[in-house]
């Protein structure tokens, strides 16, 4: 079993920055799992934000949805079993509940079904 505990988030103004953290623990967690961030706005489906590869994947290391490219950065500290999402130049349309997720395997993916474990979610609200 894997537990993902998120921290960060909150209420900010447009143009501000936030950093989300996701700490993983559990017997079956390892750095070989891809990690991703998704978000869900009220009345909308959960959507992909960013993903980073596990150590066993030899392909590309990070992927982003187009709307956050150049503003968000996903990173991971394997020694701490923690993944981060640095969010800069936030916009009101970034308002959502953000979820981190641990993949079944190492390949980073933008599909929710590729992820086995999910964090509890954290609210990010950006005011205009």
């Amino acid at each position: 079993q894997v537990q993902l505990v998120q921290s960060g988030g909150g209420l900010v103004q447009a143009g501000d920055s936030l950093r989300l953290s996701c700490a993983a623990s559990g017997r079956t967690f390892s750095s070989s799992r891809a990690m991703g961030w998704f978000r869900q706005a009220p009345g909308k489906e959960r959507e992909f934000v960013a993903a980073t590869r596990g150590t066993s994947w030899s392909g590309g290391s990070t992927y982003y949805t187009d709307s956050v490219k150049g503003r968000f950065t996903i990173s991971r500290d394997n020694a701490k079993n923690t993944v981060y999402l640095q969010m800069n130049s936030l916009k009101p349309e970034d308002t959502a509940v953000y979820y981190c997720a641990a993949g079944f395997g190492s390949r980073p993916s933008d599909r929710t079904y590729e992820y086995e474990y999910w964090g509890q979610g954290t609210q990010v609200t950006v005011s205009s």
Side-chain angles (χ1 to χ4, degrees), residues 19-38:
R19 189 177 81 158
L20 305 182
S21 299
C22 174
S25 62
R27 292 177 57 190
T28 59
F29 182 80
S30 75
S31 58
S32 65
R33 290 182 183 260
M35 296 294 293
W37 287 96
F38 291 76

Side-chain angles (χ1 to χ4, degrees), residues 41 82 116 119:
T82 301
E116 184 173 8

